[in-house]
Amino acid sequence: QSALTQEASLSGTVGQKVTLSCIGDSTNIGSYDVGWYQQISHGAPKAVMLGTSLPSGIPDRFSGSKSGTTASLTISGLQPEDEAVYFCSAWDYSLRAQLFGGGTKLTVL
Amino acid sequence: EVQLVESGGRVAQPGGSLRLSCAASGFMFRSYEMNWVRQAPGKGLEWLSWISSPGDDMTYADSVRGRFAISRDNSKESLFLQMNALRPDDSAVYYCVRRSGATPDHWGQGTLVIVSS
């Protein structure tokens, strides 16, 4: 199955705003909500954005958006604890598969 | 609180079989679709399989279709993954993942499978 496309790495300083992107096509991101998952030090992934909804316990500096076949996760006011790998995911109705991006390693300088 | 606890991971021989289990609690298991996702060491997330809430429809990634089988027992609030014809590249942490709408939301802590002779 094809994967969604994410930046391999991004970095930002404490307090900065950073935006991660996830590129798909009409059969996945263009048709369904996108999930974003944070993975710290190879622990279990944790949802930080489901569509444009913030899961319980996730700080409101995280926000999600989508335009056509590209989804974005924005972290406003970057914190040291945000350093992690972030994965995006969307269902694909043509493949009948849950697609994942390759992950973006976010470094907080 | 939603909890998903995987078990059954261990060292297996190439060509062998394993059955993974996932015990769910804290939500109405029978109402939710479920997935299995794995992560090989140092790699990204790989979706493996999805099952409908009643358990009558499922789909698989190309990499495991014909070798792995997903199932569930709603009366016991449990999800399973039968893994046959195991290969070394099946070595990974296997996660049980709940789906809400069309999006995975809650993940278990994972169970480690190592396929090696």
Side-chain angles (χ1 to χ4, degrees), chain A residues 35-51:
Chain A
W36 289 90
Y37 309 94
Q38 178 191 66
Q39 187 175 41
I40 296 174
S41 299
H42 304 291
K46 177 176 73 172
V48 294
M49 188 61 55
L50 299 171

Side-chain angles (χ1 to χ4, degrees), chain B residues 42 45 65:
Chain B
L45 300 172
R65 186 175 294 115

Side-chain angles (χ1 to χ4, degrees), chain A residues 1 32-35 37 39 42-47 50-51 87 89-91 95-102, chain B residues 35 37 39 42-47 50 57-63 65 95 99 102-105 107-109:
Chain A
Q1 276 87 3
Y32 296 99
D33 282 344
V34 175
Y37 309 94
Q39 187 175 41
H42 304 291
K46 177 176 73 172
L50 299 171
F87 295 92
S89 182
W91 180 256
L95 297 172
R96 287 222 327 151
Q98 189 76 38
L99 302 184
F100 283 91
Chain B
N35 292 278
V37 176
Q39 186 171 36
K43 302 293 185 182
L45 300 172
E46 180 187 14
W47 170 81
W50 163 88
D57 190 15
M58 58 279 293
T59 184
Y60 298 92
D62 291 343
S63 59
R65 186 175 294 115
Y95 294 103
R99 190 188 198 209
T103 310
D105 62 352
W107 298 64
Q109 287 303 301

